[in-house]
Amino acid sequence: MIYLNEHNLEQIGIDWPALASLIEEAAAAFAAGECAQPIKPYLKYGDERNRIIAMPAYVSRPVRAAGLKWIASFPGNIDIGLPRANSVTILNDPDTGVPVAMVQGSLISAIRTAAVSGALLRKLVAGGEKPLRVALIGMGPIGRMHVHMLNGLLGDRISRITAFDRRDVDVEEWLNGVPSVIPVEKAASWQEAYRGADVVFTCTAAPERYIDEAAKPDAILMHVSLRDYNLDALGNVGTVIVDSWEEICRADTDTERLHLYAGLQAESTMTLADALALPQERVIRPEGPTLFTPMGLAVFDVAVAAHYAEAAKRLGVGLRLE
């Protein structure tokens, strides 16, 4: 077995175009029924905000692998100087079941999350010439990784990133180590970042909904953190894109609330695989914002972990365990 920690992943580096393409092909394999992925269970006890999630999957392409991501999310950790999310990913040989790799730390999960966002966003903005203004709400590790992704994948399309966090976050310290060519400025409120933005990323661990106004009609809402919008703020949405309806329509997500209280049905949404495959004009509707609400598919976690495990073996990175 090869063991990789976050330092090993940093040694390998992040190739955003390659990762976005990996996500596209894994999404196509998932849609074609080539993968296996049970609904992920939530282990909850004590504080209702906390959860530990098991995410098993088999993915057929572009890398063939089976495995499990075991990830804990404890929002209160932020207040005591610990990471909110902590995870470990185990890969098994898909033919024998023998464990072949272990990836420790939440960096791999953050990379996967941003790669999924990048795969869709580059499709949604392809062919345009207008410089885009990005709002990023939530200046934690996931938000930081999205800044990394935007620079590596869409740096020529983004004019500026306006970021906000309810905590007093120093922008330079937050971006330390991120190769950034896109100007990043800090907003005094979420409204300042949100209003007029072409693309809005929500990457928070917000304890309650706070966005109470609709985005402009042509905005793209990359709703990574899933529980930020009041229902009225999503009343003008045109296209709703989900990675999996069965996964996202539960656990009190904004998508589940749209289903329960506003009548949103699975057949009214578009899958990520379809959004990546269809012509852009069939995905973006002129009547309202485009909303992407990804719960996070285990097939993507396993595919990204396998991508890094293969790179580690090729480059001689990591620790061999016997």
Side-chain angles (χ1 to χ4, degrees), residues 28-299:
F30 179 72
E34 299 173 17
C35 303
Q37 178 189 280
I39 294 291
K40 54 191 177 187
Y42 283 53
L43 175 64
K44 296 180 72 70
Y45 56 91
D47 190 331
E48 277 299 311
R49 298 177 302 165
N50 300 336
R51 58 191 183 274
I52 309 178
I53 308 170
M55 300 177 65
Y58 162 76
V59 60
S60 61
R61 55 183 164 99
V63 288
R64 185 167 173 268
L68 166 78
K69 183 174 81 169
W70 179 240
I71 182 165
S73 175
F74 282 55
N77 282 2
I78 296 172
D79 299 325
I80 57 175
L82 294 174
R84 175 190 63 82
N86 292 275
S87 76
V88 62
T89 303
I90 303 291
L91 297 178
N92 300 75
D93 183 295
D95 296 314
T96 66
V98 173
V100 293
M102 176 187 294
V103 186
Q104 184 273 333
S106 295
L107 178 59
I108 190 76
S109 187
I111 291 172
R112 180 272 286 168
T113 301
V116 172
S117 296
L120 179 61
L121 187 59
R122 75 172 179 179
K123 168 65 180 288
L124 296 180
V125 304
E129 297 180 357
K130 170 189 151 185
L132 302 172
R133 181 195 146 195
V134 171
L136 193 151
I137 305 174
M139 297 171 68
I142 299 297
R144 180 178 182 273
M145 191 57 67
H146 277 82
V147 174
H148 199 310
M149 178 273 294
L150 290 171
N151 277 277
L153 199 61
L154 294 163
D156 59 339
R157 291 298 315 283
I158 311 298
S159 61
R160 62 181 166 129
I161 299 170
T162 305
F164 170 75
D165 196 283
R166 62 184 177 85
R167 300 164 298 153
D168 184 17
V169 178
D170 181 88
V171 173
E172 289 189 9
E173 183 177 333
W174 177 57
L175 292 178
N176 183 36
V178 174
S180 183
V181 296
I182 305 171
V184 179
E185 60 186 24
K186 187 176 178 181
S189 65
W190 68 262
Q191 293 94 332
E192 181 184 335
Y194 178 81
R195 290 170 181 162
D198 301 299
V199 182
V200 178
F201 285 96
T202 42
C203 303
T204 76
E208 57 188 24
R209 272 76 174 178
Y210 58 93
I211 297 179
D212 56 5
E213 57 185 74
K216 64 176 187 169
D218 61 347
I220 297 170
L221 309 179
M222 306 295 289
H223 193 17
V224 177
S225 46
L226 307 177
R227 303 171 184 87
D228 297 75
Y229 289 87
N230 291 326
L231 279 180
D232 290 347
L234 297 175
N236 70 332
V237 166
T239 303
V240 178
I241 303 171
V242 300
D243 51 7
S244 165
W245 176 261
E246 290 75 18
E247 287 282 10
I248 192 65
C249 191
R250 63 194 186 108
D252 194 34
T253 62
D254 290 345
T255 307
E256 184 185 37
R257 290 192 174 192
L258 282 171
H259 170 64
L260 293 175
Y261 307 119
L264 181 70
Q265 302 297 321
E267 55 268 25
S268 303
T269 66
M270 180 178 293
T271 67
L272 173 62
D274 283 344
L276 291 170
L278 290 170
Q280 187 187 71
E281 60 270 17
R282 291 183 58 187
V283 179
I284 298 177
R285 298 172 184 166
E287 61 263 30
T290 301
L291 173 67
F292 178 43
T293 61
M295 179 63 93
L297 298 186
V299 292

